[in-house]
C-alpha cells in the first residue's frame, strides 16, 4: 500500500499524498515498511488517516507529519481543549490532482448508494481544473465462479481464491493466502474480503451520478485463468498493453483502469 504515493512524492518536492484506510493494521504496516524507509523529505509529506471513505472528514491522522503541516499552514487553528489527535476535517489540504483507489477496493462497498456517496467524496476532494479519479476493476467469465490461482515467486507462492459467486447479489469472498518458502510457513487468509463485483457500466453510471464530467475505460485482456492457474511471477501477458476503449468483447479475464474527470 502507498508505494504509488512515495513515487509521487519522490518525483516533485512540492507534492503531498494522503492515504485513507479502515484497517489500522494496513496503515501500521505501511508506516513500518514504507513511510519510515523513504527519508524525512518524503515521509513528512505523506498523511495517513484511519477512517471510512464514506465519512472521510471524521478520519484520524495516524502518522506525524506536523512539521510540514505547521510550515505550510495546512493545519487550521487548534483550540486548546482540542483532542490530541487530528481529524481530516481539521486540515485545509489543497484540492487534489489525483484520487485513486486500486486493487479493486471499490468491491468492498456493497450498495449503489455507498458507491455514489464514495465517488461524491472523491470528487469533492479533486481540483476542478483537471483533477482525476482513477480506480481499477477486473472481470470476465472466470471472475464469476469459484477459482483458485497460484503465482510462484522466488521466496513465496501467492494464492488468489474466489469463493462461490452469487449472480443475483454479484457477491463472493476473495481470500489471499501466502505460502512462504524459507522458512516454510503458510499464511492462510492473510487478507479476506467480502466482495461485490461491480460491472463497468454500473461504475460509469455511479461516477456520472456523483457529478464527474466524463468517464474513460482503459482495458486489457489477461491471460486465460486456465493457463495461469499456476504461473511463475508476473511475467504472463506482461507485454499486453492497456488501451482506451468504448467497447470491449467479453472474455475469460480482463483488467480495467477507470478514469473519472472532475
Ligand atoms: C483490496 S484492499 C486494497 C488496498 C490498497 N488499495 C492497496 O492497493 O494495497 C481494500 C482496502 O480497502 C479498505 N477499505 C474497505 N472498505 C473501506 C472503507 N469503507 N473505508 C476505508 N477503507 C476501506 C480495506 O481495509 C483494505 O485495506
Amino acid at each position: 500500500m502507498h508505494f504509488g504515493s512515495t513515487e509521487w512524492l519522490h518525483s516533485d518536492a512540492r507534492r503531498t499524498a494522503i492515504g485513507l484506510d479502515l484497517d489500522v493494521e494496513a496503515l501500521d504496516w505501511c508506516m513500518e515498511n514504507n513511510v519510515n524507509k523513504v527519508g524525512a523529505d518524503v515521509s513528512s509529506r505523506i498523511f495517513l488517516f484511519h477512517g471510512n471513505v464514506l465519512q472521510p472528514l471524521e478520519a484520524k491522522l495516524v502518522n506525524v507529519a506536523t512539521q510540514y503541516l505547521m510550515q505550510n499552514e495546512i493545519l487550521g487553528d487548534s483550540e486548546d481543549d482540542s483532542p490530541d489527535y487530528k481529524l481530516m476535517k481539521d486540515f485545509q489540504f489543497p484540492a487534489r490532482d489525483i484520487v485513486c483507489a486500486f486493487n479493486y477496493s471499490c468491491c468492498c462497498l456493497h450498495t449503489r448508494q455507498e458507491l455514489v456517496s464514495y465517488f461524491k467524496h472523491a470528487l469533492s476532494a479533486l481540483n476542478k481544473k483537471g483533477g482525476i479519479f482513477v480506480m481499477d476493476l477486473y472481470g470476465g467469465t472466470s471472475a464469476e465462479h469459484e477459482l483458485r490461482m497460484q503465482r510462484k515467486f522466488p521466496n513465496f507462492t501467492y494464492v488468489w481464491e474466489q469463493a462461490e459467486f452469487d449472480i443475483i447479489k454479484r457477491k463472493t469472498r476473495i481470500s489471499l493466502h501466502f505460502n512462504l518458502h524459507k522458512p516454510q510457513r503458510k499464511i492462510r487468509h492473510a487478507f479476506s474480503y467480502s466482495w461485490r463485483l461491480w460491472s463497468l457500466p454500473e461504475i460509469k453510471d455511479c461516477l456520472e451520478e456523483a457529478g464527474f464530467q466524463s468517464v474513460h475505460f482503459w482495458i486489457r485482456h489477461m491471460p486465460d485463468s486456465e493457463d495461469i492457474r499456476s504461473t511463475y511471477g508476473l511475467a504472463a501477458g506482461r507485454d499486453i498493453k492497456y488501451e482506451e476503449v468504448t467497447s470491449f468483447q467479453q472474455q475469460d479475464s480482463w483488467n480495467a483502469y477507470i478514469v473519472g474527470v472532475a
Side-chain angles (χ1 to χ4, degrees):
M1 181 189 189
H2 299 299
F3 290 118
S5 300
T6 49
E7 280 308 307
W8 170 254
L9 299 173
H10 268 303
S11 46
D12 191 323
R14 292 165 300 179
R15 290 180 175 163
T16 53
I18 301 166
L20 171 57
D21 204 292
L22 202 53
D23 181 0
V24 86
E25 256 185 74
L27 294 163
D28 285 345
W29 188 93
C30 175
M31 281 196 282
E32 192 88 345
N33 294 280
N34 204 354
V35 175
N36 292 347
K37 292 190 177 157
V38 289
D41 158 54
V42 167
S43 67
S44 66
R45 290 181 282 125
I46 188 162
F47 310 101
L48 296 179
F49 286 88
H50 177 221
N52 192 326
V53 291
L54 300 174
Q55 283 113 29
L57 296 179
E58 302 304 318
K60 279 184 197 171
L61 185 73
V62 295
N63 72 324
V64 188
T66 36
Q67 199 184 342
Y68 182 91
L69 297 170
M70 298 298 181
Q71 281 167 3
N72 292 276
E73 297 176 357
I74 291 175
L75 198 55
D77 290 339
S78 64
E79 305 291 327
D80 278 345
D81 58 354
S82 63
D84 56 3
Y85 55 79
K86 293 291 168 205
L87 303 179
M88 185 92 81
K89 65 184 174 197
D90 298 326
F91 297 84
Q92 289 137 28
F93 288 113
R96 251 81 5 120
D97 298 305
I98 306 176
V99 173
C100 48
F102 290 138
N103 270 324
Y104 320 122
S105 307
C106 72
C107 297
C108 293
L109 299 177
H110 285 193
T111 67
R112 192 176 194 287
Q113 195 192 12
E114 285 175 337
L115 201 58
V116 173
S117 160
Y118 169 48
F119 291 162
K120 283 184 180 168
H121 286 301
L123 180 61
S124 72
L126 280 172
N127 188 336
K128 300 303 173 293
K129 292 184 217 138
I132 55 170
F133 171 73
V134 190
M135 56 169 272
D136 58 358
L137 195 64
Y138 69 94
T141 51
S142 66
E144 304 190 9
H145 55 70
E146 265 182 281
L147 184 70
R148 196 180 159 84
M149 278 191 302
Q150 283 198 1
R151 289 204 155 164
K152 295 194 182 106
F153 291 87
N155 300 327
F156 65 93
T157 300
Y158 151 84
V159 183
W160 165 280
E161 187 182 354
Q162 284 164 205
E164 304 89 338
F165 187 91
D166 179 332
I167 59 160
I168 294 183
K169 301 190 183 76
R170 289 192 64 78
K171 283 192 189 166
T172 183
R173 174 159 284 279
I174 299 293
S175 301
L176 309 180
H177 316 292
F178 293 85
N179 300 333
L180 310 184
H181 299 166
K182 270 188 213 153
Q184 231 177 14
R185 188 158 73 93
K186 279 183 196 265
I187 311 176
R188 300 261 313 145
H189 299 277
F191 298 95
S192 188
Y193 302 106
S194 168
W195 212 237
R196 166 154 182 191
L197 187 61
W198 294 94
S199 71
L200 293 170
E202 283 172 319
I203 297 289
K204 180 171 194 273
D205 288 350
C206 291
L207 284 167
E208 286 172 349
E209 187 173 324
F212 282 88
Q213 294 292 325
S214 61
V215 178
H216 306 263
F217 296 112
W218 290 76
I219 308 185
R220 57 160 275 186
H221 77 78
M222 300 297 280
D224 278 9
S225 54
E226 284 298 325
D227 301 340
I228 60 165
R229 199 143 286 185
S230 185
T231 186
Y232 202 85
L234 296 168
R238 207 167 45 182
D239 47 341
I240 315 170
K241 296 272 181 289
Y242 285 87
E243 283 183 55
E244 187 174 6
V245 291
T246 51
S247 171
F248 194 86
Q249 299 309 309
Q250 178 66 309
Q251 40 190 270
D252 176 81
S253 178
W254 49 260
N255 205 62
Y257 286 99
I258 305 158
V259 181
V261 177

